């Protein structure tokens, strides 16, 4: 019997939290994964997969500085798929260095996509976008809602979204776009709200809660997002946008209170209320009806179970975290 051919995928931004979960899934499904990131491979405590796996190959390349090398690698490998997680991703900090966000998320990303559209061997591209492009809304958000960005980060992400649509409409590229709601899970960077809350409780250290945490969000475990992404990689229709989210909505304030209750800590002893950051969206929750209907997908990990997993991971690795692990450090 002939051996089943291994499918090849290039993942740009492979050091990201979301990419780590997907790589772990793809390696289990016998994909050959080529990871690309501007930084060295993550420390083991922030990794979801075995970097020594024979089907994982890592290349240290920066989309801002090495776009030609990335395209040369794509030409050489001829992958079946490519997924792009790369971006300047912090929303609040985009006000301080807006041009860095535009250079990476708009200019450099367009260079990569323009080059891909001209390749002879066509690959299926999965573009990872963001719900931030919709701005603040008052109802469930559908995939065809108009853009209304309210931060430099969100504006910088709209550009690539629009350019891909133009390329697709001209028959130049095969792509799907995904927008996931607020992801969380083990191995996430510690400055994100869920690990930050857990760490702060364990260390009995207060942190600032922007605007009192009144904005509402939808949280989904990253492994549920990866399962949905895998289905889109295989069966997603070219030119389509897919929302990935759970069905629950919670304010940041109530999320922090929920974790405090689980860990037997007083909310008032944990947070210091600070002013809201500029342009922060008060509400968004993505409709996942399209994903459910097209792919028979639904999230499997309840937030209670997911947070328990996060608590256990942080407790296990608490002593190994360095001072730099706790704060976001901006890189151009």
């Amino acid at each position: 019997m002939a051996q089943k051919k291994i499918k090849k995928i290039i993942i740009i931004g492979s050091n990201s939290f979301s990419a780590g979960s997907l790589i772990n899934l793809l390696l289990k499904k016998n994909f050959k994964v080529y990871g690309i990131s501007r930084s060295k491979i993550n420390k083991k405590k922030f990794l979801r997969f075995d970097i020594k796996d024979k089907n994982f190959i890592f290349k240290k390349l920066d989309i801002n500085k090495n776009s030609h090398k990335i395209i040369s690698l794509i030409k050489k490998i001829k992958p079946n798929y490519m997924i792009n997680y790369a971006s300047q991703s912090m929303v609040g900090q985009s006000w301080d260095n807006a041009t860095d966000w535009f250079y990476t998320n708009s200019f450099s990303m367009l260079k990569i996509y323009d080059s891909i559209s001209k390749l002879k061997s066509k690959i299926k591209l999965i573009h990872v976008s963001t719900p931030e492009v919709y701005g603040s809304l008052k109802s469930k958000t559908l995939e065809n809602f108009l853009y209304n960005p309210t931060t430099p980060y969100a504006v910088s992400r709209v550009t690539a979204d629009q350019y891909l649509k133009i390329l697709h409409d001209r028959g130049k590229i095969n792509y799907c776009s995904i927008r996931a709601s607020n992801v969380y899970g083990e191995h996430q960077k510690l400055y994100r709200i869920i690990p930050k809350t857990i760490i702060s409780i364990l260390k009995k250290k207060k942190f600032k809660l922007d605007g009192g945490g009144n904005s509402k969000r939808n949280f989904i475990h990253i492994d549920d997002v990866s399962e949905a992404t895998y289905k889109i990689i295989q069966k997603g229709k070219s030119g389509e946008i897919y929302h990935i989210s759970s069905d629950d909505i919670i304010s940041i304030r109530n999320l922090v209170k929920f974790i405090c209750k689980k860990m037997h800590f007083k909310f008032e002893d944990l947070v210091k209320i600070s002013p809201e950051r500029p342009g922060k969206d008060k509400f968004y929750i993505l409709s996942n009806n399209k994903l459910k209907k097209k792919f028979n997908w639904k999230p499997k990990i309840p937030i209670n179970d997911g947070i328990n997993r996060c608590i256990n991971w942080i407790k296990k690795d608490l002593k190994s975290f360095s001072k730099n692990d706790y704060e976001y450090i901006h890189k151009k």
Side-chain angles (χ1 to χ4, degrees):
M1 184 184 238
Q3 188 175 10
K4 190 175 180 180
K5 188 176 180 181
I6 293 178
K7 291 184 177 179
K8 295 180 286 186
I9 186 168
I10 287 179
I11 298 183
I12 301 179
S14 60
N15 274 356
S16 69
F17 167 63
S18 295
S21 173
L22 182 68
I23 292 170
N24 186 50
L25 177 62
L26 293 174
L27 290 173
K28 289 178 180 178
K29 294 185 179 295
N30 205 34
F31 272 68
K32 188 84 170 181
V33 179
Y34 296 82
I36 293 175
S37 178
R38 66 178 179 173
S39 304
K40 293 179 181 178
I41 201 76
N42 279 333
K43 297 175 184 176
K44 187 176 180 180
K45 57 182 173 264
F46 291 114
L47 277 176
R48 288 296 305 277
F49 61 94
D50 181 4
I51 59 171
K52 295 180 180 179
D53 191 294
K54 62 182 177 62
N55 282 332
F56 178 73
I57 298 168
F58 179 73
K59 300 289 183 180
K60 186 177 178 296
L61 296 170
D62 186 335
I63 66 169
N64 290 330
K65 301 173 183 177
N66 310 119
S67 59
H68 293 300
K69 290 183 178 180
I70 292 172
I71 294 301
S72 294
L73 184 65
I74 293 170
K75 289 178 179 178
K76 179 181 178 181
I77 294 169
K78 294 182 174 61
N80 306 94
Y81 310 101
M82 186 180 112
I83 183 165
N84 184 14
Y85 287 100
S87 73
Q88 292 279 8
S89 60
M90 296 297 284
V91 180
Q93 288 80 353
S94 69
W95 291 98
D96 300 325
N97 301 281
T99 53
D100 293 347
W101 268 250
F102 283 104
Y103 193 83
T104 300
N105 299 346
S106 300
F107 179 69
S108 294
M109 212 167 283
L110 263 61
K111 282 177 66 179
I112 295 288
Y113 290 163
D114 185 62
S115 297
I116 289 172
S117 72
K118 296 172 182 175
L119 295 178
K120 291 181 180 179
S121 58
K122 297 300 179 183
I123 61 177
K124 184 173 184 179
L125 167 70
I126 308 297
H127 169 68
V128 180
S129 182
T130 171
E132 296 280 343
V133 298
Y134 298 119
S136 187
L137 294 162
K138 296 180 180 180
S139 61
K140 274 195 175 183
T141 310
L142 302 176
E143 284 86 349
N144 61 357
F145 274 33
L146 296 176
Y147 299 131
N148 184 31
T150 57
T151 63
Y153 166 73
V155 176
S156 74
R157 298 304 306 272
V158 168
T159 310
D161 288 23
Q162 288 286 69
Y163 188 56
L164 278 171
K165 184 180 185 305
I166 293 169
L167 290 174
H168 173 266
D169 290 347
R170 295 183 63 206
K172 299 288 186 180
I173 202 162
N174 175 15
Y175 90 103
C176 296
S177 185
I178 62 174
R179 294 183 182 132
S181 56
N182 294 68
V183 298
Y184 76 98
E186 312 91 283
H187 308 279
Q188 189 174 32
K189 294 296 185 180
L190 303 181
Y191 46 78
R192 298 295 187 179
I193 188 62
I194 288 178
K196 184 177 184 177
T197 300
I198 296 167
I199 284 280
S200 298
I201 289 172
L202 291 172
K203 290 186 168 291
K204 296 180 172 58
K205 186 176 181 181
K206 281 197 171 189
F207 69 89
K208 293 180 180 179
L209 191 61
D210 295 339
N214 291 319
S215 58
K216 294 180 178 180
R217 293 291 185 267
N218 169 264
F219 285 83
I220 183 169
H221 194 280
I222 190 58
D223 288 352
D224 280 332
V225 175
S226 294
E227 290 286 351
T229 303
Y230 178 67
K231 289 179 180 290
I232 294 165
I233 287 171
Q234 291 190 306
K235 299 178 181 179
K237 183 180 177 182
S238 185
E240 291 289 315
I241 298 167
Y242 297 95
H243 287 169
I244 308 174
S245 70
S246 68
D247 297 310
D248 302 320
I249 186 167
I250 188 171
S251 70
I252 303 299
R253 184 185 190 91
N254 286 339
L255 175 70
V256 174
K257 283 184 174 181
F258 178 70
I259 298 172
C260 284
K261 186 176 181 180
K262 288 182 73 65
M263 298 182 70
H264 310 291
F265 202 85
K266 289 184 179 180
F267 174 80
E268 295 76 13
D269 294 338
L270 182 67
V271 304
K272 179 180 179 182
I273 306 303
S274 62
E276 190 61 276
R277 68 171 189 248
K280 186 174 182 180
D281 300 328
K282 298 295 183 185
F283 175 96
Y284 63 72
I285 181 168
L286 304 179
S287 170
N288 57 19
N289 288 340
K290 182 177 179 178
L291 195 63
K292 286 180 176 178
K293 183 178 179 180
K294 298 289 184 182
F295 304 124
N296 193 31
W297 170 90
K298 63 179 180 180
K300 299 175 182 176
I301 304 171
I303 194 165
N304 183 65
D305 295 349
I307 288 177
N308 283 340
R309 287 166 57 169
C310 292
I311 292 170
N312 291 336
W313 163 63
I314 289 174
K315 282 182 175 179
K316 179 182 175 183
D317 285 329
L318 185 61
K319 292 182 180 179
S320 68
F321 295 127
S322 68
K323 185 178 179 181
N324 288 341
D325 292 332
Y326 292 89
E327 301 293 334
Y328 168 74
I329 301 173
H330 177 61
K331 297 178 184 178
K332 290 190 176 184

